[in-house]
């Protein structure tokens, strides 16, 4: 199924966190936090301003982004767990 978000919404796939700490300790699955990094899968066309003009999106498909811990709504599309969030929930693009 193809899914295209509307307006200023973005579909993001979480990127899994590290399996070990900096000191080499292995982190068990139950102790891991959900990662706050992801890859943008799809973006909407952008919101509209007061004059009806489109506001261009700053992110594009393929960008690796950082977002807030509780950002977005978890959805399952084609058996894959994804997040749908507003572009304003994204804190930045990771270079």
């Amino acid at each position: 199924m193809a899914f295209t978000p509307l307006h200023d919404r973005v579909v993001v796939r979480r990127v899994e966190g590290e399996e070990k700490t900096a000191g080499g300790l292995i982190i068990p699955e139950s102790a891991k936090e959900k990662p706050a990094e992801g890859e943008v899968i799809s973006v909407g066309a952008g919101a509209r301003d007061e004059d009806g003009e489109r506001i261009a999106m700053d992110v594009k498909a393929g960008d690796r982004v950082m977002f807030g811990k509780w950002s977005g709504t978890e959805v399952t599309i084609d058996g894959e767990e994804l997040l749908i969030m507003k572009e304003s929930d994204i804190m930045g693009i990771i270079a």
Side-chain angles (χ1 to χ4, degrees), residues 23-90:
L25 298 175
I26 296 175
I27 303 170
E29 191 67 36
S30 59
K32 288 184 191 174
E33 290 187 18
K34 289 191 175 181
E37 287 183 24
E39 177 186 0
V40 176
I41 303 301
S42 180
V43 298
R48 293 191 180 270
D49 64 14
E50 293 175 6
D51 298 326
E53 299 294 320
R54 289 259 183 219
I55 300 171
M57 299 285 278
D58 291 326
V59 296
K60 62 186 179 309
D63 283 348
R64 190 173 174 115
V65 296
M66 183 173 288
F67 48 87
K69 186 175 183 177
W70 306 109
S71 297
T73 301
E74 293 183 355
V75 297
T76 302
I77 300 174
D78 290 338
E80 183 177 15
E81 289 187 24
L82 302 170
L83 288 170
I84 298 176
M85 65 183 72
K86 287 190 165 268
E87 185 183 36
S88 59
D89 290 340
I90 295 175

